[in-house]
Amino acid sequence: MSVIRIHDKEFVKTIPAEEIAAQVKRVADNINRDYAGKRPLLLGVLNGCFMFMSDLMKNLELECEVSFVKLSSYQGSETTGTVTEVIGLSESIEGRDVIIVEDIVDTGLTMHKMLEVLAESNPASLAIASLFLKPARLRVSVDVKYSAFEIPDRFIVGYGLDYDGLGRNLPDVYDVKE
Ligand code: 5GP
């Protein structure tokens, strides 16, 4: 069993790099099939998506483009609650087939808001590809069309995901040790 320490916590290796590569390939194959004849725009949500995006794109055989955004949350009025702002979207997505590429969908609140914001720009279609999905944690209904892994309610790091800034460089995925 491979155990590492990041800041104050110990983590146990749960998903080796080879297994990640196989599942990312499976997601890419599904996108190749579903978007045949189209030219999707893959829209990555930084920072967590960068490794997933890189490996996903290397497995895409169709014409595709890539762009990245960051999200920032701030407290709006009482009626709007938390507002998610999508920062850095430089091109028009009107009429485009957009695939949002995310590291992990947990409560689903971030993706729910992002879908709302992007839909205002009238894309031809909007889909989510998330590396990880925690079904037990979902608090809003959000359609994750492509997910590489469904995982239990545990905090993970590695392959782009961090714990307080560290761990993104790990090629494997680790679960926090209870
Ligand atoms: P949601 O809005 O779906 O609750 O939150 C999604 C975001 O929470 C992800 O993009 C990620 O930044 C963070 N997150 C949720 N679960 C985990 C986890 O297990 N590990 C890490 N490193 N980040 C997580």
Side-chain angles (χ1 to χ4, degrees):
M1 194 168 68
S2 175
V3 177
I4 56 164
R5 190 170 185 86
I6 302 176
H7 296 302
D8 57 331
K9 294 195 194 307
E10 290 195 316
F11 292 84
V12 189
K13 191 194 285 188
T14 46
I15 312 179
E18 305 74 54
E19 205 178 317
I20 299 170
Q23 292 306 315
V24 172
K25 169 91 172 55
R26 179 182 58 78
V27 169
D29 288 345
N30 288 337
I31 293 175
N32 282 327
R33 185 197 60 215
D34 296 348
Y35 288 81
K38 297 182 175 168
R39 186 192 290 172
L41 170 68
L42 279 80
L43 190 60
V45 184
L46 291 171
N47 293 331
C49 77
F50 71 97
M51 278 203 195
F52 177 38
M53 179 69 94
S54 169
D55 289 338
L56 182 66
M57 283 203 82
K58 280 182 265 182
N59 283 287
L60 291 183
E61 289 157 3
L62 33 72
E63 284 191 348
C64 56
E65 293 174 39
V66 65
S67 191
F68 293 93
V69 292
K70 276 206 167 208
L71 300 180
S72 83
S73 307
Y74 59 93
Q75 202 59 41
S77 66
E78 241 172 63
T79 43
T80 53
T82 309
V83 180
T84 301
E85 200 182 6
V86 179
I87 303 167
L89 185 59
S90 46
E91 57 269 87
S92 165
I93 60 164
E94 190 173 346
R96 301 295 311 268
D97 292 299
V98 177
I99 304 174
I100 301 169
V101 178
E102 169 72 313
D103 56 356
I104 183 164
V105 175
D106 184 39
T107 62
L109 291 168
T110 308
M111 279 303 100
H112 188 77
K113 292 262 180 175
M114 183 151 176
L115 286 174
E116 246 176 42
V117 172
L118 294 181
E120 287 169 11
S121 301
N122 298 316
S125 68
L126 261 180
I128 297 172
S130 184
L131 181 59
F132 297 103
L133 172 64
K134 292 182 187 169
R137 292 264 307 161
L138 276 179
R139 281 177 48 199
V140 282
S141 149
V142 43
D143 180 19
V144 180
K145 189 166 182 193
Y146 307 100
S147 75
F149 294 92
E150 294 197 358
I151 59 168
D153 178 12
R154 247 177 262 131
F155 187 80
I156 59 170
V157 294
Y159 194 72
L161 288 93
D162 74 313
Y163 168 47
D164 205 6
L166 297 181
R168 294 195 196 272
N169 55 311
L170 298 163
D172 310 288
V173 165
Y174 294 75
D175 276 24
V176 72
K177 217 171 153 195
E178 301 302 339

